[in-house]
């Protein structure tokens, strides 16, 4: 029995980390979508930026009920983040929003997107380390 408990503890820790990552991605996606809506007038002024925002919305709709509940949903959350980041980059290639009227919203969305993409990158790097 002792060996059984020892074997499940790492699995439980992995599950906790996964749930934490998924919850963070879910919250980030919700906020990103809200910020994209708030930034819509600015994004509409730049066609490429608007197209990336639309792609983020398409990816977000594919996430089941807006909840990140599986690895597939997490991949879609990363796609939402990447599209949002590209929308911002089309708006300002240097990602410097100092002169933008909604600079705080742009910066917040960039921070959220980068956090989700960093979690995905970290996950991919961990997968490569395992034989």
């Amino acid at each position: 029995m002792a060996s059984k408990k020892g074997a499940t503890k790492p699995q439980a820790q992995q599950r906790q980390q996964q749930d934490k990552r998924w919850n963070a991605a879910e919250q980030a996606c919700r906020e990103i979508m809200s910020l994209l809506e708030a930034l819509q007038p600015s994004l509409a002024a730049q066609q490429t930026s608007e197209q990336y925002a639309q792609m983020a919305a398409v990816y977000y709709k594919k996430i089941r009920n807006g909840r990140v509940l599986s690895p597939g949903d997490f991949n879609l959350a990363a796609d939402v983040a990447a599209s949002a980041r590209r929308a911002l980059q089309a708006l300002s290639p240097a990602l410097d929003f100092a002169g933008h009227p909604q600079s705080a919203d742009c910066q917040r969305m960039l921070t959220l997107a980068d956090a989700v993409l960093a979690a995905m990158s970290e996950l991919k790097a961990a997968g490569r380390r395992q034989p």
Side-chain angles (χ1 to χ4, degrees):
M1 275 234 189
S3 64
K4 226 179 194 184
K5 284 186 179 182
T8 59
K9 193 164 190 156
Q11 289 174 342
Q13 287 176 339
Q14 276 184 321
R15 181 66 184 180
Q16 273 185 328
Q17 288 175 336
Q18 175 182 301
D19 288 346
K20 185 177 176 183
R21 185 172 39 249
W22 289 357
N23 288 334
E26 182 179 318
Q27 288 300 112
C29 282
R30 284 187 184 145
E31 196 168 341
I32 285 170
M33 294 311 298
S34 174
L35 289 167
L36 281 172
E37 191 174 314
L39 289 168
Q40 187 54 39
S42 298
L43 298 173
Q46 216 290 344
Q47 183 182 5
T48 305
S49 190
E50 184 178 34
Q51 289 172 339
Y52 281 124
Q54 289 171 349
M55 282 309 302
V58 167
Y59 288 129
Y60 186 70
K61 286 178 184 175
K62 289 183 179 184
I63 298 173
R64 291 177 284 167
N65 300 321
R67 307 265 336 262
V68 177
L69 300 171
S70 70
D73 292 335
F74 184 71
N75 288 341
L76 288 168
D79 290 337
V80 169
S83 294
R85 191 175 203 293
R86 287 182 186 122
L88 289 173
Q89 206 162 20
L91 209 58
S92 172
L95 295 172
D96 176 29
F97 307 106
H100 195 276
Q102 295 170 303
S103 63
D105 288 344
C106 290
Q107 195 58 47
R108 176 72 182 144
M109 188 164 63
L110 180 62
T111 302
L112 290 166
D114 284 348
V116 174
L117 294 171
M120 176 57 94
S121 181
E122 192 177 295
L123 193 58
K124 285 182 179 181
R128 277 184 244 142
R129 281 185 253 140
Q130 294 176 357

